[in-house]
Amino acid sequence: MAVLPILRYPDPRLHTVAREVTVFDAALQRQIDDMFETMYDAKGIGLAATQVDFHQRLVVIDVSESRDQPLVVINPRILWASPERVKGEEGCLSVPGIYDGVERAVAVKVVAQNAQGQPFEIEADGLLAVCLQHEMDHLMGKVFVEYLSSFKQGRIKTKLLKQQKHDRQDQKVA
C-alpha cells in the first residue's frame, strides 16, 4: 500500500467528472487500499478518487471514532435525499485548514457497488450522510468551497496558492 498525493484546491483536476467504474479487479483493489491508507494518514473521514487524480467513481469512507469501519462506495447515486437540510461546518483534505458552513440534506439513501461490484443500498444520516454528499460532489468535479460566496472562494484560493508557493520554497531550501 502507498500514501498517494492529494490534489489541492484550486488544482483544475479537482473539477474532472469521474467515469463509472466498470472493471472490478486487483488493480481497483490496490487503488482502494492506497486510498484508505492515504485517508487515514491524512486524518480524514472520506476520500474521493478524484482527490488523488484517479478519475473513476470511487469513494472510501470511515466516520468511526475507532477508524475500523471502512466503507467502499463505487458508482454511487443518491436515490433519495431528505427535504430537511442542515448547515454544518465542513473541511476537506483538498482544502487543508479551511472549514466553513455548507447546507446538506439531513439524510440520504444511496445505491452503489462494493469492491467486488455487488450492488448495495445505504441509508445514512448525520456525519455519514454529509460525508457521502461531500465525496459524491468530488466525483462530479465540485469542491465544497464552491458552495460559498465568490468573495470567500477568492480568499480561500489566494490563501491556498500562497501556502503552496511557500511550501515549494521550503522544499527547495531543504
Side-chain angles (χ1 to χ4, degrees):
M1 292 196 299
V3 173
L4 305 169
I6 298 172
L7 299 179
R8 294 226 175 143
Y9 181 81
D11 191 309
R13 293 172 289 179
L14 288 168
H15 298 293
T16 304
V17 175
R19 298 176 316 275
E20 185 174 336
V21 173
T22 56
V23 178
F24 296 81
D25 59 4
L28 179 65
Q29 186 59 56
R30 275 191 304 281
Q31 183 69 29
I32 291 166
D33 294 342
D34 290 348
M35 285 176 61
F36 271 117
E37 185 162 337
T38 303
M39 180 189 74
Y40 289 134
D41 181 72
K43 311 291 189 267
I45 61 169
L47 184 68
T50 302
Q51 293 175 270
V52 292
D53 205 20
F54 183 75
H55 301 286
Q56 293 195 19
R57 296 185 55 76
L58 164 62
V59 169
V60 298
I61 294 174
D62 189 342
V63 296
S64 68
E65 286 187 34
S66 53
R67 315 299 281 151
D68 62 354
Q69 296 176 28
L71 174 63
V72 176
V73 183
I74 299 174
N75 299 326
R77 283 185 300 111
I78 294 178
L79 295 176
W80 173 86
S82 69
E84 183 183 354
R85 300 178 69 77
V86 66
K87 188 172 189 173
E89 190 151 290
E90 289 187 24
C92 180
L93 296 176
S94 291
V95 192
I98 304 295
Y99 300 88
D100 212 316
V102 176
E103 190 175 284
R104 302 271 187 195
V106 170
V108 292
K109 183 175 186 178
V110 173
V111 63
Q113 292 170 280
N114 66 18
Q116 293 74 41
Q118 300 301 313
F120 71 96
E121 287 184 8
I122 185 167
E123 293 184 29
D125 59 10
L127 183 59
L128 181 55
V130 170
C131 190
L132 281 163
Q133 292 170 82
H134 176 108
E135 300 308 334
M136 289 173 69
D137 276 353
H138 278 300
L139 300 179
M140 297 306 297
K142 188 168 188 172
V143 180
F144 91 95
V145 297
E146 294 170 43
Y147 288 103
L148 307 177
S149 70
S150 57
F151 175 73
K152 280 187 177 181
Q153 287 180 49
R155 285 183 48 201
I156 290 167
K157 187 181 286 187
T158 299
K159 179 179 180 176
L160 292 176
L161 287 171
K162 189 180 213 179
Q163 181 62 45
Q164 289 172 20
K165 182 178 179 181
H166 184 269
D167 290 348
R168 282 192 296 272
Q169 288 173 342
D170 284 352
Q171 288 174 350
K172 287 180 186 175
V173 172

